[in-house]
């Protein structure tokens, strides 16, 4: 009897853990969706500054994420 109750508690703990993981994953996806363009623009600006080429910096800052993904080749290069 005690063994059956212990198995139920272990299963309940696993379900609770999975619910927490799913909530955190959904929050991360939502945050990335909201701030994705901002992060990409800042990283593009930093990379262009370190590279020293102003034309790439302007191109990275002027396109949205949707345009950037649409213009990518099949292999992931632009």
């Amino acid at each position: 009897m005690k063994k059956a109750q212990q198995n139920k508690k272990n299963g309940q703990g696993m379900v609770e853990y999975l619910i927490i993981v799913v909530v955190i994953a959904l929050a991360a996806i939502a945050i990335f969706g909201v701030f994705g363009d901002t992060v990409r623009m800042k990283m593009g600006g930093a990379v262009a500054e370190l590279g020293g080429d102003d034309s790439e910096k302007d191109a990275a800052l002027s396109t949205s994420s949707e345009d950037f993904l649409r213009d990518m080749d099949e292999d992931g290069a632009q």
Side-chain angles (χ1 to χ4, degrees):
M1 182 80 170
K2 287 185 179 184
K3 191 171 187 175
Q5 288 177 343
Q6 183 64 27
N7 285 340
K8 287 182 182 180
K9 287 183 181 181
N10 286 339
Q12 179 184 358
M14 181 64 73
V15 169
E16 290 172 354
Y17 175 72
L18 287 173
I19 290 171
I20 291 170
V21 169
V22 167
V23 168
I24 290 172
L26 290 174
I29 291 169
I31 289 171
F32 183 75
V34 171
F35 296 110
D37 285 337
T38 304
V39 171
R40 189 187 53 77
M41 285 177 31
K42 296 220 181 268
M43 289 300 292
V47 168
E49 278 295 319
L50 291 172
D53 188 7
D54 288 335
S55 64
E56 289 183 22
K57 178 181 174 184
D58 294 336
L61 296 177
S62 65
T63 59
S64 69
S65 292
E66 288 127 11
D67 294 336
F68 181 78
L69 292 173
R70 191 178 310 119
D71 294 339
M72 287 179 67
D73 293 336
E74 290 179 6
D75 62 354
Q78 233 189 349

